[in-house]
Amino acid sequence: MISKTGLKAALLGGMAAATLASTAAAETLRWGAPRDIVSLDPYSYGDSYTINFLNHIYEGLVRFDRDLKIKPGLAESWEVISPTTWRFSLRKDVTFHNGHTFTAEDVLASLTRVSHETSPLKGNLPAYKSATVVDDYTIDIELTGAYPLLLNDLTNIHIFDKDWLVDNNAEMPTDVSVGVEGYATFNTNGTGPFVLESRTPEAQTVLTVNEGWWDKPEHNLTRIEFQPVTSAATRVAALLSGEVDFVDSAPVQDLPRLAAAANLKVLERTDLRTVMLGFNRRDELVAGGENPLNDLRVRQAMQLAVDMDLIQSRVMRGKSRNAGTLVAPSIPGYSEALDTVVSAAPEKAKALLAEAGYEDGFEFEFVCTNESYVNEEQFCQAIASMWSRIGLSPRLDIGPTAKQTPKRAGGKADVYTIGWATLPMLDTYSILVQMLHSKEGNSGVFNWGNWSYPEIDKLTQAASVELDREKRLSMETEALRIAKEEIVMMPLHQQPMAWAVSADFEDFPQFPDNKPRMWFVTR
């Protein structure tokens, strides 16, 4: 069993504060996370892990319930008053954590901030045009056209206090991917069920219960101690010793041991998130010179070289689900006909490279993180090895998310990992508009490779205004077909989702979007 002294050294890098060794009250949840959140500003980067954690502090106009169905949040009700205008009636009994009263002006300020041209999250509101305050508790949202998915989008648009933003010169969005910080990067003021007590980046973030929350709590937690534990072995040791209560990324290789522990419960299912590879499609490689990745034959060869069955059985311990298309089966727009996994064929891959004029291979930057996805470092190493066997020379660059994200988003990666769960929209349109669409306006925010497929753009735009559900989904499926044929992205798998939690929790629901929602947890 790992000692408390040793665990503190591993987690806090020698910090003197005895955060993990403190005695936890019965209503305290000690959360051992695989990585830290990237910012306290929910608009700073489209990272669903960060956005979800901050949903304990901030809230949206609408939210998902325990069954992932949309229900009222800070808005009590809504109505469509024209094809392009939605009216939201707001709650009158809500205050921010600093005591300020919640009104429609706060919603307007938040929508203006998140939709600003410099906002990394502007793509999360692809149809947003403007908003108008009708009165203190009524606001109209105008869209660029008829749009069926506004409520889905709004589940993750957190609402700020306008006066707090103004007083702290925080009206402009921040952007962690390019190093733009501000007051909201390090401070919070929401309306949610928990309040920020303290934060030490890469060490611990502490939340306490909001006693003045407008809603009736279903949880009985009084305190959440969130601490990044990047080492899988350390997370397991901390769970087994009882020094953390919950891990939302239990290592797949340790699940049998955790399931056998009397003091723990293991919760398992397949994640909605599809992990995939993206390609640099600019004229030149990162290091300079003609970019072979623009040749479809090269991308086909790279896909044929990767043995997903081997990765699934050995790296993922049989817990992942190999993917042939870019969305999971439960996501609207998915097609079983597209979900065919390409079988490994190294000799055919070599022949394609030779046909494309690269029989001697080429060097390229392959950027991965060591913490964003389950066993990411291991499967990236396996893929790099498989590419080497067909004559390619990947320069594998593995590091923490905070270091690798600026490279991926800034065009400093030729091939890179990314995962997409279509959150919060839970619809194929999410990946179409955010990733596959050309980079323009609110579209293509995560088009890090700078590709452009006019037919995908056309289908995406048509789907965005199609109110007939079946017609819309048909358009989305067709766009996925083009993406598959062109290998715009190379799908790998839906990653396994395994949580481990102390057995003394009475209710700890696990959600298919892999988002812990502690406001439903009882101990």
Side-chain angles (χ1 to χ4, degrees):
M1 180 182 296
I2 190 169
S3 68
K4 291 186 179 182
T5 302
L7 179 59
K8 282 184 288 182
L11 298 183
L12 306 181
M15 288 180 63
T19 54
L20 284 178
S22 61
T23 301
E27 295 81 18
T28 295
L29 171 69
R30 296 166 298 180
W31 182 348
R35 64 182 179 90
D36 199 11
I37 58 174
V38 299
S39 171
L40 288 176
D41 185 348
Y43 297 174
S44 65
Y45 176 56
D47 174 53
S48 59
Y49 195 81
T50 296
I51 294 171
N52 175 65
F53 179 82
L54 294 176
N55 211 29
H56 293 81
I57 300 171
Y58 292 98
E59 297 176 293
L61 294 180
V62 296
R63 56 185 175 172
F64 287 119
D65 64 14
R66 290 176 73 116
D67 299 316
L68 294 188
K69 297 188 185 311
I70 293 174
K71 62 180 291 188
L74 293 179
E76 288 184 319
S77 61
W78 49 87
E79 59 179 323
V80 180
I81 59 177
S82 81
T84 59
T85 305
W86 294 53
R87 174 163 292 175
F88 291 83
S89 299
L90 309 180
R91 296 187 184 277
K92 300 181 176 63
D93 56 350
V94 178
T95 58
F96 288 92
H97 295 161
N98 66 354
H100 289 179
T101 301
F102 163 69
T103 71
E105 292 291 346
D106 303 311
V107 178
L108 177 60
S110 301
L111 292 172
T112 301
R113 187 175 188 267
V114 75
S115 63
H116 191 272
E117 62 180 8
T118 63
S119 168
L121 250 68
K122 62 181 182 290
N124 279 16
L125 278 177
Y128 177 79
K129 182 178 181 181
S130 63
T132 303
V133 172
V134 178
D135 58 43
D136 283 350
Y137 296 100
T138 309
I139 189 166
D140 288 348
I141 295 179
E142 185 177 355
L143 306 177
T144 55
Y147 179 64
L149 295 166
L150 177 62
L151 296 180
N152 302 61
D153 294 344
L154 289 174
T155 57
N156 263 12
I157 302 299
H158 298 329
I159 302 302
F160 283 88
D161 171 8
K162 176 185 177 180
D163 291 340
W164 183 80
L165 290 175
V166 172
D167 292 346
N168 294 293
N169 194 30
E171 293 170 280
M172 293 292 289
T174 61
D175 187 345
V176 69
S177 70
V178 293
V180 176
E181 298 180 336
Y183 188 78
T185 307
F186 307 103
N187 300 273
T188 66
N189 180 35
T191 61
F194 295 93
V195 179
L196 178 70
E197 178 183 278
S198 63
R199 172 163 168 77
T200 304
E202 303 300 333
Q204 189 178 64
T205 302
V206 178
L207 308 181
T208 57
V209 68
N210 178 11
E211 299 289 358
W213 190 34
W214 59 268
D215 202 4
K216 181 180 179 180
E218 294 185 41
H219 71 91
N220 65 352
L221 300 178
T222 56
R223 182 179 180 86
I224 297 173
E225 296 176 359
F226 173 93
Q227 46 221 10
V229 189
T230 57
S231 165
T234 305
R235 285 201 304 278
V236 170
L239 272 169
L240 292 170
S241 67
E243 294 181 80
V244 298
D245 301 308
F246 167 62
V247 161
D248 60 302
S249 182
V252 292
Q253 61 269 25
D254 291 305
L255 293 182
R257 184 157 60 116
L258 294 173
N263 64 323
L264 297 174
K265 294 184 288 189
V266 173
L267 308 174
E268 287 187 79
R269 64 190 307 165
T270 302
D271 197 348
L272 290 177
R273 186 174 311 279
T274 301
V275 180
M276 62 193 81
L277 301 179
F279 299 94
N280 170 19
R281 299 293 301 280
R282 297 168 180 84
D283 292 336
E284 294 188 350
L285 292 170
V286 171
E290 182 184 11
N291 184 0
L293 299 172
N294 282 322
D295 192 318
L296 176 59
R297 293 168 295 182
V298 171
R299 300 195 302 278
Q300 289 171 333
M302 296 175 77
Q303 186 170 43
L304 286 166
V306 175
D307 189 336
M308 285 308 303
D309 288 336
L310 190 61
I311 290 173
Q312 199 264 354
S313 63
R314 296 193 181 179
V315 177
M316 308 307 292
R317 303 301 200 278
K319 300 289 187 179
S320 60
R321 178 189 178 278
N322 289 347
T325 187
L326 298 178
V327 297
S330 57
I331 301 300
Y334 165 87
S335 167
E336 185 177 358
L338 294 178
D339 198 10
T340 54
V341 178
V342 175
S343 298
E347 293 306 315
K348 185 177 180 181
K350 291 178 183 179
L352 279 169
L353 284 179
E355 181 183 321
Y358 299 100
E359 60 274 2
D360 295 327
F362 57 91
E363 294 184 348
F364 59 94
E365 303 294 330
F366 181 23
V367 177
C368 300
T369 82
N370 55 12
E371 57 188 2
S372 293
Y373 310 113
V374 176
N375 288 0
E376 181 179 0
E377 183 170 355
Q378 293 92 328
F379 73 66
C380 281
Q381 289 170 342
I383 291 171
S385 177
M386 292 169 184
W387 282 336
S388 296
R389 290 172 190 164
I390 65 167
L392 298 177
S393 300
R395 290 187 291 266
L396 183 56
D397 178 359
I398 299 177
T401 303
K403 179 182 177 182
Q404 303 301 76
T405 293
K407 297 176 186 177
R408 296 181 296 181
K412 301 302 182 184
D414 292 314
V415 184
Y416 55 87
T417 52
I418 188 170
W420 204 262
T422 75
L423 301 174
M425 189 178 291
L426 294 177
D427 189 275
T428 290
Y429 180 73
S430 169
I431 192 170
L432 297 185
V433 71
Q434 293 267 48
M435 188 184 296
L436 299 183
H437 196 285
S438 302
K439 204 175 190 65
E440 57 186 33
N442 286 355
S443 302
V445 174
F446 287 85
N447 179 345
W448 291 342
N450 203 37
W451 50 76
S452 181
Y453 289 89
E455 187 61 26
I456 290 179
D457 294 351
K458 181 180 177 181
L459 287 164
T460 301
Q461 292 157 12
S464 73
V465 297
E466 179 54 66
L467 299 182
D468 183 299
R469 187 175 188 272
E470 294 308 313
K471 290 182 180 179
R472 174 173 62 82
L473 296 183
S474 177
M475 295 173 186
E476 294 175 0
T477 300
E478 175 61 13
L480 288 179
R481 184 194 63 77
I482 297 171
K484 180 181 178 71
E485 290 184 354
E486 291 292 327
I487 317 180
V488 181
M489 308 294 295
M490 177 177 154
L492 300 177
H493 54 235
Q494 278 90 44
Q495 64 183 9
M497 186 199 319
W499 297 359
V501 62
S502 173
D504 63 0
F505 281 88
E506 294 181 3
D507 189 9
F508 209 110
Q510 185 185 39
F511 297 89
D513 60 1
N514 203 12
K515 289 186 174 185
R517 293 169 169 86
M518 302 309 182
W519 54 91
F520 293 124
V521 169
T522 57
R523 183 168 193 170

